[in-house]
Amino acid sequence: MRALALALLLLATACTASTPPPVRLKVLASTELADLGPVLAELRKATGIELAVEHRGTVEASRSLAGFDLAWLSTNRFLRLRGAEPELSASVMTSPVVLGVRRGKRPVLGDRPTWADVADRAALGEFRYGMADPRVSGGGMAALIGVATAAAGTGAPLRTEDVSCDRVQGFLAGRAFDVPDPVAEFTRRSDVDGLVAHESELLALNASGRTEPLEIVYPRDGIVLSDYPLMLVDPARRETYDKVVDWLRSPPAQKMLAERWRRPVDPAVQRRAELRADLGTALYFPDSPDVLDRLLVFHDRAGEGRQVVFVLDYSTSMRGERIAGLREAFASLNGFDRFYAGETVTIVRFAGTVLEERSITVRGRQELDALRSVVASDDLRDNTAIWAAVERALQLARGETTVVLMTDGENNAGPSVDEFLRVGRGEVPIYPIRFGEASTAELDRVAQASGGRLVEAGAKSLPAAIREIRGCR
């Protein structure tokens, strides 16, 4: 009996010795890959390689790969900008950053909306959406890149000077949240119209039944495509890395990835109908980290509480072409440059005295129409009390405020420019927009003293000045 037990023990020991333990690799992966556990379990069965995965947002993960053998992020572009991209990488699947929209809100965006259309509706308060935090997530940053690229209209990678904060902030006016896990947050909310995320996340959410099915919108002016490269961080693990890549790119693994709503890189693998939608044009990724930094500055600055005060000259000398030019300059805030939801707009019309004051916090089209009706007034009067009107504008300022002065005349009523400037004027920037014969010297003195600048009404610099005026300095 003892001999039999000893024989069985020796046999068990021999079998155990012949089965090597799994090779273990530490992997830093994007957050949205957390659902690939079953695929990695099959990888271990087939190859004996175990991937021990830590998940972080792509932007956050790209700051350091130290301590990991491999990295599997939505893109290697953030690493490339830092000069920290591993030499060896291989894409194993793709997924675009797109928009999921509740069916009841789909008509608001139009048939084939662009990122510009989405931003436009968001700025008006007609479309509220959730997204991932762009300081952490590649998906959140991709949304900002999409809007800024559409706004620039250059058809090229964004440059720092192409990034217009008024357009980005108009888009962000419709943001209901940006959090590390936007899908989970969306399922808890009934007051959000859509979600910006990877196609794979949106299709998986639809399949889960946790919320009403979302319509997937592929903006026709382009998308940012995540190509999910598997990157070798530790060169000493090259042999094992090659085995992992070979298995992930094999037909069975590609089929499993497609079943989890990723687009396989193997064209021979059959895709579900939802993964055959035309993606259109892929947007260029910025080739300078300064562009991303600028996008984040404008992202962090966006929100309610800003105010713009327009001081508009309705003296009789403005009659005709000049008042038409004033209205045209005011109307240059249309489209992407439109006042956006949450922004407070105050209008002070003046001649020899203040003729009208109107302050409106924009919530939608009704408020925009009310602003236009004030500017459309034909109530012109004699005399021009420029500095009394600007003084009144400063009294109306609340919080972060900018004052825009539009005038054609010489000050001939109320305090002089010297009297106006006796008090320190650096707390609120003033941007005079000059029409006709208005004194360049006086207007420029006030602009310089306040931290603003003088702009000629007909100059090509007016659109750039409008961006500055609205806090984009």
Side-chain angles (χ1 to χ4, degrees):
M1 191 71 177
R2 291 180 61 190
L4 177 60
L6 180 60
L8 292 173
L9 177 61
L10 289 173
L11 179 61
T13 303
C15 291
T16 303
S18 65
T19 306
V23 177
R24 194 168 188 268
L25 298 178
K26 292 183 64 178
V27 183
L28 181 59
S30 294
T31 306
E32 66 272 15
L33 299 184
D35 67 323
L36 295 185
V39 177
L40 301 187
E42 290 300 319
L43 167 68
R44 177 173 173 171
K45 287 180 186 178
T47 65
I49 301 171
E50 176 187 358
L51 300 187
V53 182
E54 180 177 323
H55 295 97
R56 299 180 195 167
T58 297
V59 175
E60 178 186 17
S62 299
R63 295 185 182 117
S64 175
L65 304 180
F68 293 93
D69 301 310
L70 309 180
W72 196 4
L73 306 180
S74 63
T75 179
N76 56 12
R77 298 178 183 112
F78 297 104
L79 291 164
R80 189 175 301 160
L81 290 179
R82 293 180 48 244
E85 178 188 7
E87 291 186 8
L88 203 58
S89 69
S91 173
V92 297
M93 60 189 181
T94 64
S95 191
V97 175
V98 293
L99 190 66
V101 184
R102 296 191 193 273
R103 286 176 180 170
K105 274 291 183 176
R106 181 65 183 83
V108 170
L109 299 180
D111 291 337
R112 294 190 61 215
T114 63
W115 283 110
D117 296 326
V118 176
D120 206 25
R121 301 284 78 76
L124 282 173
E126 296 177 349
F127 184 74
R128 300 188 75 237
Y129 64 90
M131 62 186 285
D133 185 347
R135 293 165 296 191
V136 174
S137 163
M141 179 58 77
L144 297 186
I145 291 171
V147 172
T149 301
T154 63
L158 282 173
R159 303 165 299 175
T160 305
E161 59 268 29
D162 296 328
V163 180
S164 169
C165 93
D166 52 341
R167 300 174 181 184
V168 172
Q169 289 181 351
F171 171 68
L172 291 170
R175 172 189 49 177
F177 58 81
D178 56 17
V179 295
D181 189 352
V183 175
E185 180 67 17
F186 183 81
T187 62
R188 292 191 287 266
R189 303 278 292 265
S190 60
D191 61 334
V192 183
D193 305 321
L195 182 64
V196 179
H198 281 94
E199 176 190 60
S200 60
E201 297 176 279
L202 297 172
L203 292 175
L205 178 60
N206 281 350
S208 73
R210 288 189 291 161
T211 184
E212 64 176 278
L214 302 176
E215 293 197 22
I216 310 301
V217 174
Y218 302 84
R220 75 171 188 270
D221 49 357
I223 50 88
V224 174
L225 184 67
S226 295
D227 60 349
Y228 291 98
L230 187 67
M231 296 172 278
L232 177 63
V233 178
D234 182 356
R237 311 309 294 266
R238 169 65 186 270
E239 183 178 351
T240 309
Y241 165 81
D242 287 339
K243 291 179 181 178
V244 174
V245 170
D246 289 344
W247 188 85
L248 287 173
R249 292 173 67 100
S250 69
Q254 289 283 287
K255 184 174 183 295
M256 281 188 280
L257 291 171
E259 289 170 350
R260 285 157 180 79
W261 307 109
R262 273 73 178 190
R263 295 181 178 234
V265 294
D266 184 348
V269 173
Q270 186 173 2
R271 305 181 184 192
R272 306 185 195 203
E274 295 91 338
L275 294 176
R276 294 199 292 269
D278 182 18
L279 300 183
T281 305
L283 295 178
Y284 290 104
F285 195 87
D287 53 16
S288 166
D290 293 340
V291 173
L292 304 186
D293 290 342
R294 186 169 172 84
L295 285 170
L296 288 178
V297 166
F298 296 154
H299 165 271
D300 294 345
R301 219 188 262 174
E304 298 194 4
R306 289 203 63 257
Q307 180 186 26
V308 182
V309 183
F310 288 87
V311 184
L312 307 181
D313 186 346
Y314 276 66
S315 59
T316 51
S317 63
M318 289 287 289
R319 196 182 307 277
E321 290 185 3
R322 293 177 185 174
I323 198 69
L326 181 149
R327 290 172 181 145
E328 183 178 349
F330 189 87
S332 67
L333 296 168
N334 285 336
F336 257 136
D337 301 315
R338 179 183 281 119
F339 302 116
Y340 47 80
E343 188 172 27
T344 298
V345 181
T346 300
I347 296 178
V348 177
R349 290 196 312 109
F350 76 94
T353 60
V354 172
L355 303 176
E356 182 179 8
E357 295 177 10
R358 178 76 71 90
S359 188
I360 295 174
T361 298
V362 177
R363 299 299 177 194
R365 292 187 182 274
Q366 183 176 349
E367 288 79 16
L368 295 174
D369 290 343
L371 290 171
R372 294 189 187 101
S373 69
V374 175
V375 178
S377 172
D378 289 323
D379 179 23
L380 276 62
R381 308 281 184 89
D382 292 336
N383 296 321
T384 309
I386 297 174
W387 308 118
V390 175
E391 183 65 52
R392 178 56 184 159
L394 295 175
Q395 293 169 2
L396 296 172
R398 300 289 183 271
E400 186 182 350
T401 303
T402 301
V403 170
V404 182
L405 167 65
M406 297 186 182
T407 184
D408 76 332
E410 298 286 346
N411 184 70
N412 60 19
S416 67
V417 67
D418 291 328
E419 291 170 325
F420 175 77
L421 288 174
R422 281 177 188 160
V423 180
R425 296 299 178 188
E427 68 280 7
V428 175
I430 300 171
Y431 288 80
I433 297 179
R434 178 178 175 269
F435 296 82
E437 290 82 32
S439 170
T440 300
E442 288 193 0
L443 297 179
D444 191 50
R445 281 180 63 194
V446 172
Q448 294 291 333
S450 67
R453 70 181 175 93
L454 175 64
V455 182
E456 295 292 334
K460 293 180 180 179
S461 61
L462 182 57
I466 292 292
R467 290 195 287 273
E468 281 189 43
I469 284 164
R470 300 181 67 208
C472 305
R473 294 183 292 161

